[in-house]
Amino acid sequence: MSRGFTALVVSVLVTAPAQAAPCCLSATAFGVGRLSAWEDAALLAGVSAAPSLGRWDSRGRFIGNADGSSDLELGASVAAVVGLSDRVQLSGRLPWLLNRSTADGVEEFGGGIADATVGMRLELLGIGERDWVPGLAIDFGTSVPFGRSMADAQNAFATDVTGRGAWLLGLGVTAEQVEGPWYLQARVGGTVPLPGVAGPSLELSLSGGRQLFGDGVLSLMARASLEAPRTIGGRAVAGSAARELALSPSFSWKLAPHWTVQASVEAVLLGANRAERVVAGGTLRYGFF
Amino acid sequence: MLGLALAGCGPEVDLPVATGDLDVSVELVTSPVRRTSNNLLIHVRDTARAPVTGAAVSLEVSMVAHGHDGSGAFVEELDEGEYRAPSLSFSMAGEWRVKVLAEKGGSRGERWIEVTVP
C-alpha cells in the first residue's frame, strides 16, 4: 500500500457530498474525514450545487417539480481535522448556504450560515495494522444548530432556512480495508435529534474504489438511510417515516504532496418523504505533515 | 435499541380529521393548488346545523413527515357562518396538513385537510 494511494483514499472517504440542507434531506456526514498516519492536521474547503428534481412522497413515489417551480441550493464550507494522538482525531465543519426558489412566477433568494458539525474519531485498529484485518474506528459527532430553522423562517419559500433547529448526536462504526490498488469501506451509524423534532435515524454506507492513472482514485458509494416516524402525543404518525437510497461516484486527484482535489455527485435513487436533489461537489484538501 | 426506536413505540396511527362540537367544513377553492395565494372557504355550524357568526377562526399548516410548520394565514368572515382565507401559502412542494380551528364562547371545532402541493 503506497503512501500516495493511502492519502487519496483518505480524501475520497471523507468528503462525500454535503448534506447540509435543513429539513428534507437525511442527517448524514458528520465527519469530514480522517488523517493519514503521517499527517498532523488537514484543512478542507468545499463547494456544492444541488438542484432539485422533485421529491419522494410518503408512499415512495417520485414526483417531479411542477412547471415553473425550481429549487437550487449552493453551498460552501470550510473544515479541519486535527490529530490529538495516533488514535484520536478531532474534526469540525462550518457550511454556508445560498438558496434559490421559484414558483408561481416568483423568484426568491435566501441563505446564511448553516448548522456546523464537530466530531471525534477513535481508531481502534489502524488500516494495515494487521494483515487481512480491516481497520476499525468509532466516530462520535454532533450537529450544532447555527442555521436558521423552519420555525424561524421569514421568507415565503423558506429560502432563508439553513438549519434544522436542533442538535443532532451521532455515533458510527467504520471498517476499512486497502488491498493493492483497491479499497473498501463500510459504515453503520445513527443519529438522534435533541430536542425531538425528528425521529432517530440509521444509516448504512458501502464504498469502494480503485487507484487510476497513478495519482487518482475513482470511487462509488451506496448509502441507505432510515428515519423513524414522527410522533405526536406519543403516537407514531402513519406515513411519516423517511428513507432513501443514494449513489455517489467520486474522483480524487493528488495535485501535489500536500494538496488533493476531489469531485463527486450524489443522487437519490429511491426514497420516501425526501427531496430529490442531485448534489455535485468539489473539495480541496491540504494535509500538514 | 436504535432499531426499536426506528420502528416507533407502537402501531402507527392516522391523525384525526375533525374534533369538537362545532362543525367545521373546509373547501379549497383554488385548483390546482399553488405555492402561493390559495383561497380556502370555511363553513362553521353548531350542533343544530345553524351557521355560527362571529367565530374566531384560525389556520395552522404543517408538514408532519418533515416535522415542521408553515406560516399561518389571515382569515376573514364573509357571511353567516362563512369564512375565507384568501392567501394561504405553502413554503415548499409536498404533503401538507391544514388545521382549521373555530371557537365561539365555550364551543370549538377543528377540521384537518390534507393538501398536496405540486
Side-chain angles (χ1 to χ4, degrees):
Chain A
M1 179 172 57
S2 75
R3 175 174 162 138
F5 179 50
T6 304
L8 285 169
V9 168
V10 167
S11 68
V12 168
L13 292 178
V14 300
T15 52
Q19 299 288 302
C23 79
C24 311
L25 299 178
S26 63
T28 62
F30 274 151
V32 297
R34 61 171 170 79
L35 301 172
S36 295
W38 57 89
E39 286 182 322
D40 301 315
L43 288 177
L44 302 93
V47 293
S48 64
S52 167
L53 303 181
R55 62 189 174 83
W56 299 88
D57 73 4
S58 58
R59 296 181 181 180
R61 297 172 299 195
F62 175 73
I63 299 170
N65 289 330
D67 288 344
S69 293
S70 68
D71 294 286
L72 172 66
E73 179 193 278
L74 301 177
S77 66
V78 292
V81 191
V82 177
L84 298 184
S85 71
D86 290 345
R87 300 284 186 186
V88 181
Q89 298 169 13
L90 296 181
S91 63
R93 178 172 177 270
L94 182 64
W96 181 87
L97 297 178
L98 173 65
N99 299 305
R100 172 186 179 270
S101 286
T102 60
D104 302 340
V106 177
E107 182 182 46
E108 184 183 282
F109 289 89
I113 296 293
D115 292 348
T117 56
V118 293
M120 183 177 75
R121 174 186 166 93
L122 180 61
E123 199 163 278
L124 304 178
L125 189 62
I127 299 170
E129 195 170 313
R130 295 184 188 173
D131 289 341
W132 301 104
V133 178
L136 197 63
I138 298 176
D139 60 86
F140 308 90
T142 184
S143 172
V144 185
F146 285 161
R148 182 193 293 265
S149 70
M150 281 295 296
D152 297 323
Q154 301 291 319
N155 294 354
F157 294 158
T159 50
D160 53 344
V161 173
T162 57
R164 295 173 180 273
W167 293 74
L168 290 175
L169 300 180
L171 173 66
V173 178
T174 302
E176 300 172 36
Q177 181 72 8
V178 177
E179 290 296 332
W182 297 90
Y183 85 90
L184 189 66
Q185 184 211 53
R187 182 183 183 275
V188 58
T191 61
V192 177
L194 299 174
V197 295
S201 66
L202 176 68
E203 182 179 270
L204 307 168
S205 67
L206 182 66
S207 61
R210 190 187 194 285
Q211 185 175 12
L212 293 173
F213 315 121
D215 290 329
V217 175
L218 183 64
S219 302
L220 185 65
M221 181 176 76
R223 180 177 60 79
S225 70
L226 302 168
E227 190 172 290
R230 311 284 167 171
T231 56
I232 296 179
R235 309 291 294 271
V237 178
S240 65
R243 64 180 183 274
E244 69 181 17
L245 174 64
L247 205 59
S248 172
S250 64
F251 187 73
S252 183
W253 187 265
K254 188 173 71 171
L255 301 171
H258 291 273
W259 293 94
T260 306
V261 65
Q262 187 223 16
S264 62
V265 177
E266 182 180 271
V268 177
L269 305 180
L270 295 170
N273 285 323
R274 287 284 184 236
E276 171 61 71
R277 299 181 187 189
V278 174
V279 185
T283 303
L284 187 63
R285 182 184 189 276
Y286 183 89
F288 295 90
F289 52 87
Chain B
M1 183 178 292
L2 185 61
L4 289 174
L6 286 170
C9 300
E12 295 186 345
V13 296
D14 292 319
L15 295 171
V17 294
T19 63
D21 47 4
L22 292 180
D23 177 46
V24 178
S25 59
V26 179
E27 179 187 357
L28 188 56
V29 178
T30 306
S31 180
V33 180
R34 295 157 48 92
R35 290 271 288 273
T36 60
S37 303
N38 293 281
N39 192 358
L40 198 69
L41 275 183
I42 302 155
H43 301 275
V44 183
R45 295 181 176 82
D46 62 17
T47 53
R49 304 292 298 165
V52 177
T53 60
V57 180
S58 59
L59 300 182
E60 294 176 13
V61 298
S62 60
M63 281 188 113
V64 175
H66 293 180
H68 63 73
D69 297 330
S71 56
F74 166 72
V75 179
E76 59 188 356
E77 185 167 3
L78 294 180
D79 203 349
E80 287 192 349
E82 190 171 286
Y83 303 79
R84 180 176 69 171
S87 57
L88 177 61
S89 296
F90 303 93
S91 58
M92 65 182 67
E95 294 158 68
W96 290 84
R97 191 170 160 84
V98 179
K99 172 186 171 182
V100 181
L101 168 64
E103 294 178 292
K104 184 174 184 185
S107 299
R108 60 182 281 145
E110 295 174 334
R111 168 76 65 177
W112 289 264
I113 61 169
E114 309 287 343
V115 179
T116 299
V117 180

